[in-house]
Structure formats: C-alpha cells, structure tokens
Amino acid sequence: MNIEQIETFLMVTEAKNLSIAAKNLFISQSAVSHRIRSLEEALGCELLIRSRGEKFVSLTLKGEEFVEIATRWKTLSNETKLWTLQESKMNLKLASIDSLNTCVFSSLYKDIINSNNAISLNVSSHWSKTVYDLIESNEIDIGFTLNSLKYPNAIATPLFKSRGVVISSTYSKYPKEVHPHDLKTSDEILFSYIPEYEIWHNFWWEHDQSEYSSVDTVSLLFTMFDLKEKWAIVPIWIARKFEKIHPVKISELSTEPPEYACYHVFNRNPKPSKVKTIKQFSEALENYMKTEEFLDSIK
C-alpha cells in the first residue's frame, strides 16, 4: 500500500468514475484500475463495486469506511513531505546570573528569538555555581557568569570587564566622584556577585559590616532608589540599565573596586546535536558585542 494508491482511491470516490479519475490524475484508466486492485489486495477486501457496462462506480461498505482512513493517510503524507523540507528547529538552553540576563544580554536574546527561526532559545537565571553545575552535567549549553570556577568539563573564557560605580537617587548628596570614606554603610544596599568585591568592601568598611541592607536581583535593586541617601556599588552595565528605566545618579569611585569580569561558560564536550546551534549562537554573540548598544552599556 502506497500514497499513489491512496490518492487514486480518493480521486475515484470523488469522481465516481474511473475515466474521470484517470483524467484528473493524468494517467490511463488501466493504471487507475491497477492501483485500485493492488490496494484491495493489500487490504484484503473490495473497496469498489464495478458494474459491467456502467460508467459510474460505487463504494462497498468497507470502501465507505476506508475513505476516512485514506484521507488521514494522505494528510499525514503531506505533513511528512513538508516536515522533510523544513529545517529542524534547534533548541539551545542558556543560563546566566540574573543581572547579566537583564542588563547585558536581553537584547541579544530578543534578536535571536525575533530573527532566527532555526533556534529555539530557552533562557534561565541562576547563581554562578548552579550555572557551572548545569554546564558540567550538559543540562544547559551556554552559560554567563561573573566568576571563573574550576570544573573538569566546564570551560570559562573571559568576554569583557567593567568597572564598578556608585548609584544613588538623583536627589542624593553624592558628588560625581566619591571616596569610600564618604559612603555610610547604614545607607548601603549591598549587591555583588564576586568574592573580590567582598574583600575590597571589607577593607573599607571593616567595622560596619552589620549595618547595610542587601538584595540579590536587579529587579529588587531597581525598586530601592526612590530612597534619598541609599547607594549601591554595581557594575557600570547595571547603572546604564538603570538610566533607561529610572532616573539615577552615577558616581565614579576615587578608589576603584575590583573589575567585574564576565565569563562565557561551555562544556568541553558538548552534545553532538548541539554543536551547530552553539556555533550559530557564538557567532551571534560575537556580532552583538561589536554593536554600539553593547559597547555603550559596559563603558
């Protein structure tokens, strides 16, 4: 049983006439008869009632029942043909810390989702260690973090570095350049992902460690700067994102904190089915990092 026999049967049921069916299919009437007989032999039952000397044919009870099955068969065959012609959509799983997802790479994700129909992108936010764990187990394909951790198969390559700045309300008293001694920890909203910053922070505010408040996501940090004297030290790309959403004062530090380095994390042995997709994403990432939007956000 094949699709030619199915299509011929459906044409005969529609035309109710072998010669008309042959004409519509651009084949001979004997070819139509041969296909119908072959189909009946494959099914082990008669589908048509043929009356000698009459132009029209009618369906047996089995033939009537088979019309619905034949229609589904033809539909499935057409869908299969379309599927074989289409390029398979490649799934890419990506994980990053919240601030990089929100403030640095959201436009990249948007462009890929909007313009690259060949990639189905799945993005999630996690702590850095979780990102490395997921990469190590090959549960995700790409990761972005601010920490370089040692794992057997999770490889981290640096993408860019950015300075830290002080952000505060536009109504705050802080000047364009501020020294750590001019910042009270009782007014601080601590926000940091890197251990180097914690060491630097402890050096300047060693005796005031219990006075500050803290938040762990950018969305929470965004809500805090209606408060007049509150301040936080953040990577410049968070400050630039703030400027677009909410008025904020950005002050440079006269004594610079450690730089925030962003790392691109991947498994040294990716799944074979993901190699092509990872390459496509890496090319899109490389192009995105040359855009003015990206460069302006990290400077």
Side-chain angles (χ1 to χ4, degrees):
M1 188 164 55
N2 56 50
I3 190 60
E4 286 184 345
Q5 295 167 351
I6 295 294
E7 289 176 338
T8 302
F9 169 75
L10 290 173
M11 182 58 70
V12 170
T13 61
E14 181 180 336
K16 300 291 192 296
N17 185 292
L18 295 181
S19 61
I20 294 175
K23 183 178 179 180
N24 291 341
L25 292 169
F26 303 99
I27 59 176
S28 66
Q29 184 173 330
S30 61
V32 170
S33 297
H34 175 72
R35 289 181 182 180
I36 296 297
R37 283 196 300 271
S38 297
L39 179 60
E40 289 175 328
E41 289 174 5
L43 295 172
C45 63
E46 288 189 352
L47 300 173
L48 301 180
I49 299 172
R50 305 166 182 84
S51 299
R52 186 182 298 273
E54 293 186 8
K55 293 181 179 180
F56 297 97
V57 296
S58 57
L59 295 172
T60 64
L61 181 58
K62 280 291 187 182
E64 291 176 356
E65 293 173 347
F66 188 65
V67 170
E68 183 181 348
I69 297 172
T71 301
R72 294 204 306 268
W73 185 303
K74 183 179 178 180
T75 300
L76 183 59
S77 176
N78 290 337
E79 289 177 354
T80 303
K81 286 178 182 177
L82 287 173
W83 172 76
T84 57
L85 293 173
Q86 291 174 347
E87 185 175 356
S88 296
K89 200 159 188 177
M90 297 176 288
N91 181 273
L92 186 74
K93 293 183 179 181
L94 187 151
S96 172
I97 60 171
D98 168 72
S99 59
L100 287 173
N101 271 343
T102 303
C103 301
V104 179
F105 295 116
S106 59
S107 292
L108 170 63
Y109 304 154
K110 183 178 179 179
D111 288 344
I112 290 175
I113 291 171
N114 185 50
S115 63
N116 194 336
N117 293 325
I119 294 180
S120 175
L121 187 63
N122 302 106
V123 182
S124 57
S125 296
H126 302 279
W127 295 111
S128 287
K129 185 180 183 304
T130 304
V131 172
Y132 277 91
D133 289 340
L134 293 170
I135 289 286
E136 180 71 16
S137 61
N138 253 330
E139 293 179 59
I140 61 169
D141 310 302
I142 298 290
F144 295 119
T145 78
L146 296 181
N147 294 287
S148 178
L149 305 180
K150 290 186 177 181
Y151 276 71
N153 295 302
I155 308 300
T157 60
L159 279 180
F160 64 87
K161 291 183 178 181
S162 290
R163 70 190 186 281
V165 294
V166 177
I167 56 172
S168 61
S169 164
T170 53
Y171 303 105
S172 73
K173 63 185 179 183
Y174 304 115
K176 290 184 178 180
E177 183 175 279
V178 62
H179 190 279
H181 284 159
D182 298 325
L183 299 168
K184 294 182 179 179
T185 51
S186 57
D187 292 324
E188 181 184 16
I189 301 170
L190 183 65
F191 185 84
S192 177
Y193 289 106
I194 58 173
E196 294 86 352
Y197 176 80
E198 295 178 13
I199 295 171
W200 182 87
H201 185 276
N202 292 344
F203 174 81
W204 288 107
W205 295 287
E206 181 179 2
H207 302 296
D208 304 317
Q209 293 302 301
S210 62
E211 295 187 10
Y212 59 78
S213 302
S214 65
V215 295
D216 64 357
T217 66
V218 169
S219 56
L220 277 174
L221 191 63
F222 281 169
T223 67
M224 300 295 169
F225 285 90
D226 290 331
L227 303 174
K228 186 174 180 180
E229 297 303 326
K230 296 301 178 182
W231 60 272
I233 297 176
V234 298
I236 186 64
W237 30 269
I238 290 182
R240 296 291 182 231
K241 191 72 172 181
F242 260 76
E243 284 185 312
K244 296 178 181 179
I245 297 173
H246 190 286
V248 67
K249 181 183 290 186
I250 299 176
S251 302
E252 301 290 341
L253 282 153
S254 57
T255 302
E256 293 185 0
E259 288 186 305
Y260 294 82
C262 173
Y263 294 91
H264 177 199
V265 190
F266 53 92
N267 193 294
R268 72 168 72 243
N269 300 305
K271 296 177 181 177
S273 61
K274 296 298 185 75
V275 171
K276 182 180 178 180
T277 318
I278 292 171
K279 182 181 179 181
Q280 286 188 4
F281 178 85
S282 297
E283 290 172 354
L285 172 62
E286 184 178 350
N287 291 332
Y288 172 70
M289 291 178 64
K290 296 175 184 176
T291 64
E292 288 186 13
E293 179 183 5
F294 170 77
L295 295 173
D296 289 345
S297 71
I298 65 170
K299 292 182 178 180

